[in-house]
């Protein structure tokens, strides 16, 4: 959670965690992708944590990229960055939001990493004399990573989610690895959960179980007989259908778990699985004698999501608006900010390229707040700059994240400092006023993968600023992913014109990390990604403050360290 802010989970102090035998849960997916396997794994994590167990969750991705860092968001969705700078799959975001588990690069493994490690070993001669093969060399490497996570975390339960869909060629080594692993750790120490799809066929007016049967058959062919089937469905399964799935997929009736599409929020999933007694069943199978999950706090979150006291409508101006997954953590963090303020947030997703730069009001009028998230490349930047200008001039709360800060900087340079052609060197190498330029350390970099400024870094906050009031702390840690930065040679010019540099990397010779405008109810932007450290039960201070500003009369949000007026 947010450092120093989220209470540590007290329940983890139960004696139970001294348990010697680690338990393993493997989550696979069938029929189609995008079933919400990651959410299911994370929700199971929530339930087990709330039973007093220490949980660690990891994701295995069968693709050959070493990490998703170089993939287009349209291909892959958001790249989720961890404290240690690992660029990972967005499911790890769910794991962090749903549990207290601390994640590192050991929580995400791709085929690319496995093959890279095996091939390096081969070149060193460590397999001398042998033929290097998928089985056992690749599968052993995969199993090592499960054991390694158990050792590093000391968790009672390791949940391992296998990406992709059963039947994919590239997923086979992973399935073989977990089959072997389960055999080795023994019968009561490993459980296979298969997340599958039960489609509703409109023309027949029926839910169909055949795809599920076939996907389970595919798994059994490989030697994995799932213990539990989580059935994703639009409509309730009903007794008959559950019986049918149970009979033809060879699982007990109680192990057919219904996971219906959520009505309001993904945070309902743990409660849904609890109603289906999935966690009880898992504990029974793994011989875990722990109390039932206490989900009172979680229920309160859902209450606020379903029936909030207040409502606001904000705009997110981005480039990958068509794909929900591309800004996953941003949308979630906004919702968490709403939970903290008992406020429902309607998010209007605005494609930056659709903004008429002369008349941005056509797209932005009536919004209570404007957020510009991170991004790469020139496309859409002029629309974002117009949005930042509109927010600044019309005193609409603005939150800029990473590129969103660079955009705010360019806008201020052009329209307040009157440097008409100011730009980022990312978008215009020839600009006379490169107010955003390549970081010094990036100048030598020519490889693309894993070479940005990545991961958690300290940021020093200036006293008496909005940032200081929101964070209630003068040193914070936030996660980064960027190559360009605020050009400090312009710093004085900016400050004289009223831009406050409220966060820097250090007290001397610093990089600019946060900017804000005082003559504005709420205008703040940061070079880092706060969205990666927000949870439904522990909103990030920037998002909490942003939503508060969106709800409030402008004058109620003050820009100094004094307590805000209580309404
Ligand atoms: N493209 C910008 C940079 O590399 C911003 C990166 C981001 O928003 N994550 O600095």
């Amino acid at each position: 959670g947010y450092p120093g802010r989220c209470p540590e989970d007290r329940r983890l102090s139960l004696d139970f965690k001294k348990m010697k035998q680690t338990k393993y849960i493997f989550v696979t997916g069938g029929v189609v992708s995008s079933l919400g396997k990651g959410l299911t794994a994370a929700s199971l994590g929530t339930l087990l944590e709330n039973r007093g167990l220490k949980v660690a969750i990891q994701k295995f991705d069968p693709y050959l990229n070493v990490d998703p860092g170089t993939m287009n968001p349209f291909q892959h969705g958001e790249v989720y960055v961890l404290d240690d700078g690992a660029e990972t799959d967005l499911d790890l975001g769910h794991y962090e939001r749903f549990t207290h588990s601390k994640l590192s690069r050991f929580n995400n493994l791709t085929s690319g990493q496995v093959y890279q490690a095996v091939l390096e070993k081969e070149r060193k001669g460590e397999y001398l004399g042998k033929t290097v093969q998928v089985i056992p060399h690749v599968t052993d490497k995969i199993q090592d990573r499960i054991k390694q996570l158990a050792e590093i975390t000391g968790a009672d339960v390791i949940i391992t989610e296998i990406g992709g869909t059963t039947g994919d060629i590239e997923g086979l080594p992973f399935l073989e690895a977990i089959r072997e692993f389960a055999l080795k750790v023994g019968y009561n120490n490993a459980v296979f959960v298969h997340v599958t799809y039960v489609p509703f066929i409109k023309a027949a007016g029926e839910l169909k179980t055949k795809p599920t049967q076939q996907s389970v058959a595919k798994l059994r062919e490989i030697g994995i007989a799932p213990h539990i089937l989580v059935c994703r469905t639009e409509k309730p399964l009903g007794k008959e259908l559950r019986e049918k799935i149970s009979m033809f997929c060879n699982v007990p009736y109680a192990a057919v778990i219904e996971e219906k599409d959520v009505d309001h929020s993904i945070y309902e999933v743990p409660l849904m699985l609890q109603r289906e007694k999935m966690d009880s069943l898992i504990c029974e199978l793994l011989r875990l004698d722990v109390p039932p999950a206490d989900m009172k706090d979680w229920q309160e979150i859902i209450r606020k999501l379903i029936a909030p006291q207040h409502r606001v409508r904000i705009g997110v101006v981005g480039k990958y608006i068509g794909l929900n997954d591309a800004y996953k953590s941003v949308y979630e963090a906004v919702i968490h900010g709403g939970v903290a303020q008992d406020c429902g947030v309607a998010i209007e997703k605005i494609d930056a390229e659709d903004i008429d730069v002369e008349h941005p009001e056509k797209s932005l009028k009536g919004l209570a707040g404007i957020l510009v998230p991170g991004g790469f490349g020139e496309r859409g930047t002029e629309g974002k700059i117009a949005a930042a200008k509109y927010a600044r001039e019309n005193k609409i709360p603005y939150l800029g994240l990473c590129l969103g800060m660079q955009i705010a900087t360019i806008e201020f340079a052009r329209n307040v400092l009157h440097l008409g052609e100011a730009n980022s060197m990312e978008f215009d190498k020839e600009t006379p006023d490169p107010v955003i330029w390549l970081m010094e350390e990036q100048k030598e970099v020519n490889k693309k993968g894993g070479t940005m400024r990545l991961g958690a870094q300290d940021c020093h906050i200036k006293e008496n600023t909005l940032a200081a009031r929101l964070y209630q702390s003068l040193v914070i840690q936030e996660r980064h992913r960027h190559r360009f930065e605020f050009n400090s040679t312009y710093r004085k010019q900016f400050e004289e014109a009223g831009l406050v540099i409220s966060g820097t990397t250090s007290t001397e010779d610093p990089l600019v990390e946060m900017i804000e405008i005082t003559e504005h109810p709420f205008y703040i932007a940061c070079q880092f990604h706060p969205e990666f450290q927000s949870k439904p039960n522990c909103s990030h201070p920037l998002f909490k403050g942003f939503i508060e500003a969106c709800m409030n009369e402008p004058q109620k949000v003050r820009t100094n360290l004094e307590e805000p007026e209580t309404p």
Side-chain angles (χ1 to χ4, degrees), residues 538-552:
C538 183
S539 163
H540 188 286
L542 287 183
F543 288 89
K544 193 171 155 190
F546 176 58
I547 299 299
E548 179 193 40
C550 296
M551 290 159 61
N552 270 344

Side-chain angles (χ1 to χ4, degrees), residues 124-145:
K124 279 193 203 148
E126 289 182 33
Y127 299 112
L128 224 49
K130 293 194 197 112
T131 309
V132 183
Q133 292 179 298
V134 173
I135 301 171
H137 301 109
V138 166
T139 46
D140 280 356
K141 194 95 223 149
I142 296 169
Q143 293 180 63
D144 287 348
R145 283 294 287 266

Side-chain angles (χ1 to χ4, degrees), residues 375-432:
F376 296 84
E378 203 209 333
R379 191 163 58 78
T381 49
E382 291 303 322
K384 292 177 194 175
I385 292 169
K389 177 166 189 259
Y390 181 80
R392 182 177 56 78
E393 290 181 342
N394 294 286
K395 307 253 185 273
I396 297 165
Y398 177 88
L399 179 60
L401 312 176
C402 203
L403 180 66
M405 180 186 113
Q406 301 177 353
I407 290 289
T409 305
I410 299 167
E411 190 281 311
F412 197 91
R414 288 188 191 172
N415 300 312
V416 182
L417 303 183
H418 305 295
L419 307 172
E421 287 174 72
N423 214 333
S424 162
M425 286 185 73
E426 182 180 4
F427 317 134
D428 179 4
K429 284 202 175 55
E430 310 297 323
T431 170

